[in-house]
Amino acid sequence: MKFYLISDNIDTQMGMRLAGIEGVVVHSPEEIKGALDDAMKMEDVGIVLMTEKAVQQVRETVYDYKLNRKQPLIVEVPDRHATSKISDTISRYLSDAIGIKL
């Protein structure tokens, strides 16, 4: 199984490429949703990495995939600006998904 990156900036993509992770750079919500739909269809991809900004633009689609599909796993990664804490993102996801605030 491979990783696949959906990023909103070239810097993150270049860093991941150095680690052997392929991916795309997208900017608009339509591009992000299309890239995510394509990644979810790839049989050899086990984990889809998405930057925070990309997830924020298509949050409903990401949540739908997380709740209704077992594979591939979607993981939000901080981008070069690191605008939020991952623990806050996980708490928000749980709150939205099951209605429990941690």
Side-chain angles (χ1 to χ4, degrees):
M1 291 283 175
K2 297 189 320 187
F3 286 88
Y4 188 78
L5 172 71
I6 300 173
S7 176
D8 64 293
N9 65 72
I10 192 81
D11 296 334
T12 303
Q13 183 197 30
M14 294 305 291
M16 292 294 185
R17 283 180 65 189
L18 289 171
I21 298 172
E22 306 249 344
V24 294
V25 176
V26 289
H27 301 288
S28 71
E30 294 80 22
E31 289 177 327
I32 297 167
K33 187 176 180 320
L36 182 57
D37 290 341
D38 291 344
M40 296 304 280
K41 294 175 187 171
M42 295 178 187
E43 293 181 13
D44 61 340
V45 171
I47 298 175
V48 176
L49 303 172
M50 293 183 71
T51 56
E52 292 173 287
K53 188 174 178 184
V55 170
Q56 289 172 359
Q57 292 186 54
V58 294
R59 187 163 305 282
E60 294 293 322
T61 303
V62 171
Y63 282 177
D64 184 52
Y65 276 132
K66 282 185 172 188
L67 292 171
N68 296 309
R69 300 251 329 236
K70 291 183 181 181
Q71 283 189 336
L73 178 66
I74 300 172
V75 178
E76 184 176 346
V77 296
D79 60 10
R80 62 185 172 165
H81 304 294
T83 56
S84 70
K85 295 179 182 176
I86 293 299
S87 61
D88 292 343
T89 301
I90 293 169
S91 296
R92 186 174 58 245
Y93 172 68
L94 286 173
S95 177
D96 290 350
I98 57 177
I100 295 174
K101 184 171 175 143
L102 299 174

